[in-house]
Structures are given as structure tokens and as C-alpha cells.
Amino acid sequence: PNRDARHPDKNQMQNQVIQLKRMIRMQNQVIIGLSSCFAIVIISTMLLIQHLPHPNDERGPFWETAAAHLHEENSKKQLNLKRQHKEKPHIVPNPAVVQSICSHYGCPIRPLEMSQLENSTHSFMASSNHIIFTRKSNRKKPAPVNQDRAVLIPSFGDDFDRTDMITNPKENVFVGIFDGHDDNGHNVAQFSSDEIPSRIASKMHNIMNDPSNHIIEQEEMTQIITQTFVEVDKDVPVSGGGSTAIVMLRRGNTLYMANTGDSTSFIMLYHPPSKVDEEKATRNEEYVSSPRSPNIQLHLQGTVTIHHVNEKHKAHFPKEQSRIESLGGRIHIPPKNPMGSRVIARSALHREDVGLAMSRSIGDWEWTAIGVIPDPDVVVLDLGQFWSENRIEGGAKVVVVAGSDGLFDARKVEFVANHLAYGLFENSSPHGGDGQDFANRLIDVGKKLVDMASPLQEEWYRDDITFIAKVIDL
């Protein structure tokens, strides 16, 4: 007889052992397979992460350019400057009043956001000879903040120990407009608005303290402004953004007008009317206080002429186009709108081709290698000669004006000038009033101007709108 048959339990046990061994071998094979797959996934992910460009990385066909090397060379310097920048005094807007921490070069005046004006006093934002104003855009991206910066510095360079904020038409003054763009444009604009006046003042101070040379000649002052723009561009502490820069700087009877980018500046000459028409004055007051309507217009009683409008830096202008294309840059020029020309660069931050709306700017390092430069055009104007040539007398007024493209893309220079002239020179209350009353009325005119430069529908895009107007006199 079969021995296995005599021991059925033993035979069954052996079969179970064999089956168990087979299951263990299969489980081991599955575990090894899964472990191998997991290891492959981990290794592949790590390799992929290493080779993917970081949002601030500048690797790749375009980013292996001078822009990338410039960024790397300045990284340590930018970090130090950023730390220093945090320690420097600056103006702190307050819901109740515009406050200022005076710096070594004077006491800067900056505007409150328009939305904060309803429950605020207008101290320093407006007076009988100036207005400084800003309104945030309705954008959601790339940055839901006001990317414009404006600064007005009375008595700039007159007395480095002076700490008041009184604007006098006969004294020196610094006017600055900085319009930021891209994700970090507001940071670049803020840095520029802090550093440009500070560094210009420091250079002026060094020359005036030199025993061998106390006088700053026009050519030397022009070099100071240009050098400062270039230095600030190199020292911008963030990437992924840029800014325009308008500086109007008065020293004695010389006015320096510097521009980088596509913001706007000009000189406005106002001649008062021979006689005031009270009916027109009443209608103008109604225009300012009434909702926007095509049936109600401003009728300036005096006359305004425009002088020395700056030339914007656009890529389709021959000089700008030649420089950019000689460095391998690409330019897109819309046939029906040449002023909408763009400098095209491959952006590491956005990982796609991006068009820059100007051919010169502060920051915008990704465009540096293809010819976008910070160097300003500087126009030097002899104010005595300007007064003489234009026969400025008998109550005529001269105003320097600067503003961002949010205003001047929407409204012509003449439209803006008429509103500013009305607010500054034809807006006095027939019942009198103190300085704050005049400031309040001038702010109302500023609000009206912004409203007229805004789209009719709130949901339509509105850019940041910022401007400064400052009366000057000999």
C-alpha cells in the first residue's frame, strides 16, 4: 500500500507548505517590482526638479546671456542694498494725514491713495502751488497694488538741514514719477523713488563740500542725473519687474528734465483772463461736483500753452530700434498703432515671450542684454531765457507737470493741463477760505481729472493714475 495514502494529513500539509512558499515568492517579486518602480519615480522626480528652471532662474537658450551674468554678479550687492533700504527713513502714509520722515536731502511729499481721501485731511498733498495725486488701478494681476510712485521734495538741495515741507515757487524742487510694471514693478518703482533723489543729493553734497569746487555746472549736473539712473538700475534689489522714471529738478534758474520710459512730463504756461466770467465760473464748479456727463464740460477762462513735452522711449523710434536690433533684440510694431510697439524677450519668470512697452527703463534685467537701457534723456532749460522768450508777466504762471501713462494714455496733454490750470488758478471760492479749504477744492479737481481719465464702465480696465503739478517762479 501507498505510504502517502496511509498518511493523508501529512500529504495535505506538504501541499500547503509548497503553496505557501509559492505565495511568498510571488509576494517578494511584487514587492521588489513595486520598490523598483517607486525608486524610478523618486529618481526621475529629483532629476526633473533639478533640471526645471526656478521661477527666478535665468538658464536656457536666452537666459545664458549678459542679463543672467549681470544678475549673478550683483546678487550680493543687491542683498546688502535691500537690507540698507529697509533701514532708510521713508514716508509712511497714514489714513488720517500724510506723514513724512525727513531724509538728509529734504522732506519728501508722497500722495495718499485716492480711496483714503474721503475720511482724511489733505495736508501736504495740495496747496496754492502744487498738487500730488494717485489712484490705484482695478487690476487683479500681476500685482493688485498701486505700482505708481510719486515724490515731491521742496527746497531740494537748498539746505541739507532743512526739515519743513513748505513748497515755494521760487525755491529749488525735485519732482519724480515712477511707473512700475510686471510682478515686482511696484517694488522697483519704490526703490527708484527712494534712491534716485537720495543719490543725486549725495553727489551734489559731495561736490558742494569740495573746497576746490563749490559750483555744480549744467554738464556736471546732467552727468550726475544720468549716472544715478544707471546706478539705481544695477542695484535694484528684485527681479521680475521694472519702472519708468521722470525727474524734473530745479536748481536756481535751471530746470533739468530727465526721462526714462514712457511716462509724460511737460511745462504748462497759464495766462489769466482779462475779466472773470462769473457764469462760466459757476458752470465750472458744477462740472467738478457733478457726475460725469458729455453735456457738462470744463471751460477754462484763461489760456494754456504747452512746452517741452518729453519724448517717450518706444521701440519703433529709429534710434531705439537700431540699438535693440543690433544686439539681437526683437521688436513688434503694430501696423495701425506704432506707439504700441514692444521689445520681445524670452522671460525666465513667465516662461514665455513677453513684450516690454518701452525701450528704456529701470530694472527689467531680462531685457538688458537686448538693448533696453536705463540711461535718461536729459533736457536742460534756462528758466530766465524761457521767461523772456514767452514774455511771462502780468499774472502768468508756469507749472511743471509729470504723470504716468494711466493718465496720459487716456487723456491728451491739453486736457490735463486745462484741469490743472483751473484747479490751481481759477478755483478760488468767491467766499474766500483758508489754505485747507483751497487744498480741499484742488483735491476735488484732482478727483474729477482722474474720473475723466477712467473708463465709463467700472469693470473695464483702469490703469494706475498718478500725477504731480508744481508752480515755479523766478
Side-chain angles (χ1 to χ4, degrees):
N2 193 320
R3 297 178 62 182
D4 290 336
R6 293 196 302 250
H7 302 282
D9 293 338
K10 182 178 181 181
N11 184 53
Q12 185 178 3
M13 184 178 296
Q14 288 176 348
N15 290 336
Q16 290 177 349
V17 169
I18 292 171
Q19 291 177 2
L20 183 60
K21 288 181 178 179
R22 287 176 181 173
M23 291 178 63
I24 292 173
R25 283 198 298 269
M26 291 176 63
Q27 288 177 350
N28 289 339
Q29 291 173 357
V30 171
I31 292 172
I32 292 172
L34 291 174
S35 299
S36 299
C37 292
F38 184 76
I40 291 172
V41 171
I42 292 296
I43 293 172
S44 300
T45 303
M46 293 177 64
L47 291 173
L48 182 62
I49 291 173
Q50 288 179 348
H51 286 82
L52 280 174
H54 187 271
N56 292 325
D57 196 2
E58 294 177 346
R59 292 177 290 179
F62 171 78
W63 306 293
E64 292 176 349
T65 62
H69 296 302
L70 178 63
H71 192 163
E72 183 177 354
E73 290 171 0
N74 286 308
S75 60
K76 292 184 179 179
K77 179 189 285 188
Q78 293 153 13
L79 181 60
N80 290 333
L81 282 166
K82 191 172 183 179
R83 290 170 179 168
Q84 295 172 8
H85 180 61
K86 289 180 179 178
E87 297 172 357
K88 288 189 176 182
H90 60 279
I91 290 178
V92 182
N94 182 282
V97 65
V98 176
Q99 296 179 339
S100 172
I101 301 175
C102 295
S103 300
H104 67 92
Y105 52 82
C107 301
I109 301 172
R110 299 181 188 268
L112 280 175
E113 167 60 38
M114 178 174 158
S115 60
Q116 295 180 304
L117 294 177
E118 295 300 328
N119 299 314
S120 305
T121 61
H122 305 145
S123 302
F124 306 123
M125 280 186 60
S127 73
S128 60
N129 63 76
H130 85 275
I131 180 173
I132 179 169
F133 205 93
T134 191
R135 187 188 188 190
K136 173 186 168 183
S137 76
N138 59 0
R139 77 168 67 85
K140 304 301 180 184
K141 295 180 180 180
V145 297
N146 192 332
Q147 294 196 297
D148 287 355
R149 295 295 183 270
V151 59
L152 172 65
I153 308 175
S155 308
F156 184 79
D158 283 353
D159 184 351
F160 287 92
D161 295 323
R162 185 168 175 172
T163 58
D164 64 60
M165 300 175 70
I166 300 172
T167 58
N168 186 324
K170 295 180 180 293
E171 293 183 338
N172 295 340
V173 68
F174 180 101
V175 171
I177 289 286
F178 307 89
D179 181 357
H181 48 262
D182 209 345
D183 289 5
N184 285 314
H186 51 292
N187 294 320
V188 179
Q190 182 67 54
F191 181 79
S192 301
S193 71
D194 289 340
E195 291 297 318
I196 286 179
S198 175
R199 297 187 188 198
I200 288 176
S202 294
K203 291 178 174 64
M204 291 167 52
H205 196 211
N206 291 338
I207 294 174
M208 290 187 290
N209 282 344
D210 185 350
S212 63
N213 181 20
H214 294 287
I215 300 175
I216 303 176
E217 302 292 345
Q218 289 184 2
E219 183 177 351
E220 191 170 21
M221 191 68 222
T222 299
Q223 292 175 352
I224 287 174
I225 295 171
T226 301
Q227 182 184 1
T228 300
F229 274 51
V230 173
E231 289 176 356
V232 169
D233 172 72
K234 290 180 179 179
D235 293 339
V236 166
V238 294
S239 60
S243 177
T244 70
I246 288 276
V247 167
M248 305 181 83
L249 193 161
R250 178 188 180 169
R251 278 191 53 75
N253 282 345
T254 304
L255 180 66
Y256 300 88
M257 297 173 285
N259 170 55
T260 289
D262 62 355
S263 295
T264 298
S265 66
F266 60 91
I267 299 175
M268 174 180 81
L269 175 55
Y270 170 81
H271 287 280
S274 56
K275 182 180 179 181
V276 175
D277 186 325
E278 295 298 337
E279 183 178 349
K280 282 186 178 180
T282 300
R283 289 204 302 266
N284 285 338
E285 289 184 9
E286 292 175 354
Y287 165 78
V288 172
S289 60
S290 300
R292 184 170 174 175
S293 169
N295 300 321
I296 308 177
Q297 302 294 328
L298 177 69
H299 297 280
L300 188 71
Q301 300 199 50
T303 59
V304 164
T305 55
I306 307 299
H307 305 263
H308 297 284
V309 180
N310 68 298
E311 182 177 280
K312 298 180 180 182
H313 292 134
K314 293 292 186 177
H316 68 286
F317 291 159
K319 181 172 66 173
E320 305 297 298
Q321 185 173 2
S322 175
R323 182 185 69 250
I324 292 167
E325 291 182 341
S326 69
L327 293 171
R330 293 176 292 151
I331 297 174
H332 171 68
I333 305 175
K336 296 183 179 180
N337 180 28
M339 288 299 288
S341 60
R342 297 288 190 273
V343 184
I344 308 300
R346 185 70 183 177
S347 170
L349 179 65
H350 300 290
R351 302 179 187 175
E352 62 180 351
D353 286 352
V354 177
L356 187 64
M358 61 213 71
S359 55
R360 303 190 192 190
S361 67
I362 305 292
D364 292 316
W365 290 334
E366 292 183 314
W367 282 261
T368 299
I370 54 174
V372 174
I373 60 177
D375 306 54
D377 288 330
V378 183
V379 174
V380 181
L381 180 65
D382 185 315
L383 293 178
Q385 184 177 350
F386 181 80
W387 250 254
S388 176
E389 291 176 349
N390 292 280
R391 299 178 180 178
I392 301 173
E393 56 187 14
K397 300 291 184 180
V398 178
V399 185
V400 295
V401 181
S404 62
D405 62 354
L407 176 61
F408 289 102
D409 281 354
R411 290 295 181 178
K412 293 182 179 180
V413 165
E414 292 77 10
F415 183 91
V416 174
N418 284 341
H419 281 69
L420 294 174
Y422 170 74
L424 285 164
F425 309 123
E426 298 184 5
N427 189 34
S428 298
S429 170
H431 307 293
D434 58 15
Q436 189 60 58
D437 176 69
F438 179 88
N440 293 341
R441 295 168 64 86
L442 181 52
I443 289 292
D444 287 340
V445 176
K447 291 179 180 180
K448 185 66 176 183
L449 176 56
V450 168
D451 179 56
M452 296 299 292
S454 301
L456 290 172
Q457 299 295 326
E458 183 62 30
E459 62 270 18
W460 294 349
Y461 175 71
R462 182 189 72 250
D463 198 1
D464 300 319
I465 297 176
T466 303
F467 60 87
I468 301 174
K470 174 68 177 69
V471 180
I472 62 173
D473 197 0
L474 289 181

